[in-house]
């Protein structure tokens, strides 16, 4: 049933969305006619851009995705905190990890007001269990397949790929996965639970009001940090012969209480896996919410040098750039950055990583592994999608991929494959500067050609507006779905 439904959507989804556009045209109110016309045109133009490239369903692309997974328990964050009697704090503070209720309140408030996504490890098992129990009978709660790797695999299966998924899951967990996903890992009796505290734009908690819809995630996961499916995944990888290898879920290691040397050993094995894969196989690393500086430095040494492609959001981009430039981690950045700001940051990340790759290649590494140049960088924000792709690299269809990423943002957050223009709005500016440098070119948003692409140096840049969902179903997993959808058209 699942596969048949997904096949039908792949075949008829764009037609259904265009039909919804026509319905919206007939039932709009006169005072909103101009705005409605603009939104309808942008939507139909994005759908056309997405539809210019299809996935080969005869020889389905093969993607290997690791690591780990969990069950997400999704609740309204404010309702949960009210239920457990946690009063709003008057002191919003950043904490690397959570040990008690006071720190939970401070950390939640710190990210809730600006509407920034965050994920924290909870050292206090008792408190986490209490939160889960309180969530189980909270009205409106939902259970879902969670974890970067399973979510990205699920999206790619929906979009027409065959998957090898590295993770240790329960049999019940495996049963709900697409038939196009093959699992490599151990069987566990009970999957780890991650608690997703969602909140809409304009939500209130005490004196705090959220500027945008987002989520605050807490977990007490003691399985996924160990990447225990990696050995089985590596065994099956050669025979699977993927077109693309995707790595995510490494934020589970952030602030986890490993024994001395354990994390280095695990990441060293991962580096061996990545560096020993065929040069023809693209490697994508999906960033996440990292706050521990030492693990970010480990990623710069063990993972990023062997990735051709990186995906991240507007919080993770300045975080990575700050570390690349020798500064401290940036815990909280502007949740609604301007296009010019993001593009400048992307250019710097692209330049610095590729310079590091050149420097590393000119030196003799102790393990003999060669660093790969970064040829693809995708940043997903609330208002827009932006990609940098090296000209002549293996990545193709950048314009269509950027459009697909944009449309997927709405589909996931609204919880519907059919995009309803009456439940969307454009918040990207009518025109944007390509850089913050004085005298930079401004590019207008053209409704009939909403994806703007241009060449610079040795790469192409594409930017697409997002039809921001106004009736939020779920923000958690948004970045994974968006990145996965964009990748599908480029392999």
């Amino acid at each position: 049933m699942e596969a048949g439904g997904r096949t039908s959507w792949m075949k008829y989804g764009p037609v259904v969305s265009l039909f919804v556009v026509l319905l919206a045209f007939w039932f709009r109110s006169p005072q909103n006619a101009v705005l409605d016309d603009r939104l309808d045109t942008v939507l139909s133009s994005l759908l056309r851009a997405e539809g210019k490239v299809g996935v080969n369903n005869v020889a389905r692309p093969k993607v290997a995705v690791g690591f780990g997974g969990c069950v997400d328990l999704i609740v309204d964050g404010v309702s949960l905190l009210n239920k457990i009697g946690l009063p709003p704090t008057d002191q919003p503070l950043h904490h690397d990890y959570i040990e008690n209720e006071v720190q939970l309140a401070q950390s939640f408030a710190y990210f809730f007001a600006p509407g920034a996504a965050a994920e924290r490890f909870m050292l206090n098992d008792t408190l986490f269990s209490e939160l889960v129990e309180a969530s189980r009978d909270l009205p409106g709660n939902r259970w879902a397949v969670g974890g970067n790797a399973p979510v990205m695999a699920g999206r790619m299966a929906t979009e027409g790929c065959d998957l090898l998924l590295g993770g240790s899951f329960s049999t019940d967990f495996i049963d709900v996965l697409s038939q196009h996903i093959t699992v490599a890992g151990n069987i566990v009796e009970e999957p780890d639970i991650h608690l997703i505290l969602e909140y809409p734009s304009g939500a209130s908690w005490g004196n705090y009001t959220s500027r945008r819809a987002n989520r605050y995630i807490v977990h007490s996961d003691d399985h996924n940090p160990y990447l225990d499916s990696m050995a089985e995944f590596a065994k099956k990888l050669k025979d699977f012969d993927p077109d693309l290898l995707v790595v995510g879920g490494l934020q589970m290691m952030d602030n986890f209480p490993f024994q001395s040397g354990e994390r280095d050993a695990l990441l060293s094995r991962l580096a061996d896996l990545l560096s020993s894969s065929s040069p023809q196989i693209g490697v994508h690393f999906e960033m996440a919410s990292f706050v521990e500086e030492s693990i970010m430095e480990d990623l710069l040494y063990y993972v990023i040098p062997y990735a051709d492609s990186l995906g991240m959001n507007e919080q993770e981009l300045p975080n990575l750039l700050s570390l690349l430039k020798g500064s401290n981690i940036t815990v909280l950045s502007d949740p609604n950055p301007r296009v010019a700001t993001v593009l400048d940051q992307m250019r710097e990340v692209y330049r610095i990583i590729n310079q590091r790759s050149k420097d590393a290649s000119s030196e003799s590494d102790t393990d003999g592994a060669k660093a790969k140049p970064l040829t693809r960088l995708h940043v997903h924000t609330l208002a827009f999608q932006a990609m940098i792709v090296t000209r002549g690299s293996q990545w193709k269809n950048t314009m269509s991929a950027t459009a697909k990423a944009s449309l997927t943002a709405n589909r996931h957050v609204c919880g519907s494959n059919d995009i309803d223009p009456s439940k969307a709005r454009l918040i990207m500016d009518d025109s944007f500067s390509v850089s913050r440098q004085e005298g930079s070119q401004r590019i207008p948003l053209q409704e009939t050609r909403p994806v703007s692409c241009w060449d610079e140096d040795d790469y192409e840049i594409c930017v697409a507006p997002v039809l921001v969902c106004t009736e939020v179903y779920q923000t958690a997993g948004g970045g994974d779905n968006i990145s996965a959808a964009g990748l599908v058209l480029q392999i």
Side-chain angles (χ1 to χ4, degrees), residues 165-176:
L165 172 61
S168 296
F169 310 121
S170 67
T171 52
D172 289 343
F173 188 101
I174 294 171
D175 286 345
V176 301

Side-chain angles (χ1 to χ4, degrees), residues 208-262:
Y208 305 104
T209 301
S210 60
R211 285 173 52 192
R212 56 170 279 193
N214 226 317
R215 70 278 185 188
Y216 180 88
I217 303 173
V218 287
H219 68 88
S220 189
D221 194 327
D222 59 1
H223 291 111
N224 286 307
Y226 290 102
L227 310 181
D228 59 359
S229 63
M230 186 160 44
E232 186 68 20
F233 183 77
K235 283 181 189 175
K236 293 187 176 180
L237 192 61
K238 188 174 181 180
D239 289 339
F240 185 69
D241 189 24
D243 302 296
L244 175 68
L245 172 57
V246 178
V247 175
L250 300 187
Q251 75 275 13
M252 292 296 97
M253 295 177 151
D254 193 285
N255 280 293
F256 185 78
F258 287 105
Q259 297 296 316
S260 178
E262 268 188 316

Side-chain angles (χ1 to χ4, degrees), residues 23 26 34 72 125 160 219 272 283 294 304 316 341 353 356 370 381 383 396 400 429 434-436 454 476 482:
L23 284 179
W26 289 112
V34 174
D72 284 344
D125 290 339
H219 68 88
D272 290 342
V283 176
S294 62
I304 291 174
E316 295 147 12
T341 300
I353 288 179
R356 289 166 65 106
K370 292 290 185 184
T381 80
K396 54 191 180 182
S400 292
D429 294 335
V434 300
S435 171
R436 295 179 66 189
W454 66 95
I482 293 164

Side-chain angles (χ1 to χ4, degrees), residues 228-456:
D228 59 359
S229 63
M230 186 160 44
E232 186 68 20
F233 183 77
K235 283 181 189 175
K236 293 187 176 180
L237 192 61
K238 188 174 181 180
D239 289 339
F240 185 69
D241 189 24
D243 302 296
L244 175 68
L245 172 57
V246 178
V247 175
L250 300 187
Q251 75 275 13
M252 292 296 97
M253 295 177 151
D254 193 285
N255 280 293
F256 185 78
F258 287 105
Q259 297 296 316
S260 178
E262 268 188 316
R263 190 171 71 194
D264 276 349
L266 289 167
L267 289 174
S268 180
R269 285 170 50 206
L270 177 57
D272 290 342
L273 172 66
L274 299 179
S275 62
S276 62
S277 64
S278 168
Q280 282 71 48
I281 299 174
V283 176
H284 173 82
F285 174 50
E286 189 66 22
M287 292 283 293
S289 179
F290 293 97
V291 293
E292 186 183 357
E293 200 157 300
S294 62
I295 192 172
M296 284 291 289
E297 290 168 349
D298 286 344
L299 295 176
L300 289 177
Y301 182 79
Y302 288 113
V303 179
I304 291 174
Y306 308 113
D308 308 272
S309 170
L310 297 176
M312 62 199 73
N313 67 20
E314 78 288 336
Q315 297 292 314
E316 295 147 12
L317 174 65
N319 196 6
L320 174 60
L321 178 59
S322 178
L323 204 67
L324 284 169
K325 294 169 74 172
S327 300
N328 296 326
I329 276 181
T330 56
V331 176
L332 181 63
S333 301
D334 185 354
N336 295 293
R338 308 298 288 268
V339 176
T341 300
V342 169
L343 292 181
D344 282 346
Q345 291 171 339
M346 291 175 70
R347 291 183 185 99
E348 278 200 273
V349 166
Y350 181 87
R351 177 185 60 79
I352 294 172
I353 288 179
N354 279 316
Q355 186 58 55
R356 289 166 65 106
S357 174
K358 288 177 183 176
D359 293 344
S361 295
S362 64
E363 300 169 1
S364 57
D365 292 344
T366 55
D367 59 2
K370 292 290 185 184
K372 300 174 92 171
L374 178 66
T375 53
R376 182 182 181 274
L377 178 58
H378 177 192
V379 175
H380 36 87
T381 80
L382 178 68
F384 60 90
Q385 304 292 317
M387 286 193 193
I388 286 181
V389 174
T390 305
R391 287 194 302 277
S393 66
Q394 71 213 70
W395 311 105
K396 54 191 180 182
N397 308 320
T398 305
M399 187 275 289
S400 292
T402 311
K404 189 175 192 66
S406 170
L407 293 166
T408 303
N410 180 284
R411 289 167 180 152
H412 174 76
V413 176
C414 274
S416 172
N417 286 327
D418 305 328
I419 297 175
D420 184 348
S422 70
K423 299 177 182 178
R425 64 189 176 110
L426 289 169
I427 63 173
M428 184 171 135
D429 294 335
D430 290 341
S431 67
F432 62 88
S433 292
V434 300
S435 171
R436 295 179 66 189
Q437 291 186 358
E438 190 174 347
S440 294
Q441 177 190 3
R442 288 195 71 85
I443 296 180
L445 172 58
Q446 300 180 54
E447 289 87 348
T448 55
R449 297 187 66 183
V451 185
S452 302
C453 298
W454 66 95
D455 287 337
E456 293 182 13

Side-chain angles (χ1 to χ4, degrees), residues 14-68:
V15 175
V16 175
S17 288
L18 283 171
F19 179 67
V20 172
V21 171
L22 292 174
L23 284 179
F25 175 82
W26 289 112
F27 291 103
R28 62 187 171 174
S29 58
Q31 62 267 35
N32 292 326
V34 174
L35 288 176
D36 287 349
D37 274 345
R38 185 169 188 246
L39 200 60
D40 293 346
T41 304
V42 170
L43 173 55
S44 58
S45 300
L46 286 171
L47 288 167
R48 279 197 303 273
E50 176 191 40
K52 285 184 177 181
V53 180
V55 176
N56 187 342
N57 284 315
V58 177
R60 295 168 66 98
K62 294 195 289 186
V63 184
V65 187
F67 291 97

